[in-house]
């Protein structure tokens, strides 16, 4: 029984899960609220889930881990900033049709509707690029992530935004580094149908949104195109001999991954409360990569289960470790501990070897 559990889950995830459990057990003895800590973990899980889910299509198609995720994040940030630019118009239209109370929801939907086509176009060209460098996808994806973020550092200063909430100073130009979404679509999902039991909070709306996204990806992977995508990732030559257009399904996987990245950053922002521009997207890919690897995925196989388990373990340890250690040491080392723990998990996830069965 134990051997079957170890084979199915793996010692690494068992040890990490036990460590996380020990943090929750230790918490009340050092003055840390378990209910509050668990609520924070669930909130972070919901915030980051779609970003980690974005890894699945590219991994399954054989394109590897999407280190070019910032390309999708940029599409999401464009959707976010444009939706705020148009927020006055959207709010007035919602009021005219008698849905003024739901204006924040419509602004959020507008952000998604703008971000998705931008992500699709960027993902299409990104996919063509990866098809030209088969075997070196992750290296090129990393370069794409670096270069796209650097390019947008210039673009954020030049794009003709006018909303005073976003631009530098009164009557200035260029976007601020950090933009608040309070008053627009802050917690539009996180605050939806929230369940509160004392200090314990479940962000039901955000979980439902994540569940729908996971279901759609799961459903897509079982369609004819999704099966062809998996076949191309399993054995490219066999798939081509079977009549599958490998290049086409790889592009589809990249487009889907980029779109999920765009939607994922919008889900993250609505809970976090701020849009972080310039170098902000640069730091989002590695945690997503680490999460799915911690969940049991490899560079050529991933599942929804890997997304759920990996995201919870990564965010749980990242949330719990600083608060527990701070209480034990009676000093504020939260940021130092957070950096050590997060980078340690990323290093472990990227260097571990996984036996893959396809």
């Amino acid at each position: 029984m134990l051997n079957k559990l170890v084979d199915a889950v793996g010692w690494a995830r068992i040890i990490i899960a036990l460590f996380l459990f020990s943090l929750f057990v230790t918490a009340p003895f050092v003055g840390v609220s378990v209910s509050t800590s668990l609520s924070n973990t669930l909130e972070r899980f919901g915030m980051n889930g779609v970003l980690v889910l974005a890894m699945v299509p590219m991994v399954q198609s054989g394109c590897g881990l999407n280190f070019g995720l910032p390309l999708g994040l940029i599409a999401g940030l464009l959707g976010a900033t444009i939706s705020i630019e148009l927020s006055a118009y959207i709010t007035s239209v919602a009021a005219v049709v008698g849905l003024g109370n739901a204006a924040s929801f419509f602004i959020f939907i507008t952000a998604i509707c703008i971000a998705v086509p931008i992500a699709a176009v960027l993902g299409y060209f990104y996919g063509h690029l990866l098809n030209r460098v088969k075997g070196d996808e992750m290296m090129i994806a990393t370069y794409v992530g670096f270069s796209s973020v650097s390019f947008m550092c210039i673009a954020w200063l030049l794009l003709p935004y006018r909303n005073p909430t976003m631009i530098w100073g009164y009557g200035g130009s260029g976007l601020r580094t950090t933009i608040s979404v309070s008053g627009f679509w802050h917690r539009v999902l996180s605050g939806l149908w929230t369940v509160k039991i004392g200090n314990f909070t479940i962000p039901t709306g955000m979980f439902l949104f994540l569940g729908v996204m996971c279901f759609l990806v799961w459903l897509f992977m079982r369609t004819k195109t999704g099966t062809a995508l998996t076949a191309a990732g399993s054995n490219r030559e066999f798939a081509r001999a079977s009549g599958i257009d490998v290049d086409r399904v790889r592009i589809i996987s990249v487009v889907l991954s980029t779109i999920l990245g765009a939607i994922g950053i919008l889900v993250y922002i609505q809970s976090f409360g701020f849009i972080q521009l310039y170098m902000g997207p640069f730091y989002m890919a590695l945690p997503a990569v680490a999460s799915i690897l911690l969940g049991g995925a490899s560079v050529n196989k991933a599942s929804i289960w890997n997304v759920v388990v990996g995201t919870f373990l990564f965010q749980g340890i990242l949330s719990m470790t600083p608060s527990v250690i701070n209480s034990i040491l009676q000093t504020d080392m939260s940021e130092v501990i957070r950096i050590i723990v997060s980078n340690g998990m990323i290093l472990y996830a990227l260097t571990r070897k996984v036996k893959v069965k396809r």
Side-chain angles (χ1 to χ4, degrees), residues 5-190:
L5 177 64
V6 173
D7 289 340
V9 180
W11 273 116
R13 278 173 298 287
I14 292 175
I15 292 171
I16 291 171
L18 289 174
F19 176 63
L20 179 58
F21 178 74
S22 69
L23 290 175
F24 279 111
V25 171
T26 306
F29 296 100
V30 294
V32 176
S33 171
V34 175
S35 58
T36 301
S37 299
L38 184 56
S39 296
N40 291 337
T41 299
L42 293 177
E43 182 85 11
R44 295 173 68 93
F45 169 78
M47 288 169 61
N48 292 273
V50 181
L51 291 172
V52 181
L53 182 66
M55 295 290 152
V56 173
M58 280 185 58
V59 170
Q60 283 294 97
S61 70
C63 290
L65 298 163
N66 187 10
F67 286 99
L69 185 64
L71 200 63
L73 305 187
I74 286 169
L77 294 176
L78 283 169
T81 51
I82 294 173
S83 73
I84 293 178
E85 185 77 7
L86 301 175
S87 60
Y89 173 75
I90 298 169
T91 301
S92 63
V93 171
V96 168
V97 298
L99 296 172
N101 293 333
S104 60
F105 177 77
F106 288 115
I107 297 172
F108 180 70
I109 294 299
T110 300
I112 292 178
C113 291
I114 294 171
V116 167
I118 295 174
V121 172
L122 293 177
Y124 177 78
F125 289 107
Y126 177 29
H128 274 287
L129 176 62
L130 294 185
N131 277 340
R132 291 179 174 272
V133 292
K134 292 184 179 73
D136 295 315
E137 290 94 343
M138 286 190 285
M139 180 180 70
I140 299 302
T142 303
Y143 173 77
V144 169
F146 272 100
S147 58
S148 60
V149 171
S150 299
F151 173 78
M152 289 306 296
C153 285
I154 301 172
W156 297 129
L157 292 172
L158 299 177
L159 291 172
Y161 289 96
R162 291 291 178 267
N163 191 301
T165 304
M166 298 191 295
I167 61 176
W168 286 105
Y170 181 77
S173 61
L175 295 180
R176 300 176 184 177
T177 304
T178 303
I179 300 168
S180 173
V181 295
S182 178
F184 299 104
W185 36 272
H186 184 209
R187 299 190 64 81
V188 67
L189 295 178
S190 303

Side-chain angles (χ1 to χ4, degrees), residues 269-283:
I269 290 169
Q270 63 82 32
S271 182
F272 184 62
F274 296 93
I275 302 170
Q276 292 183 306
L277 301 177
Y278 299 96
M279 295 305 292
F282 178 73
Y283 302 101

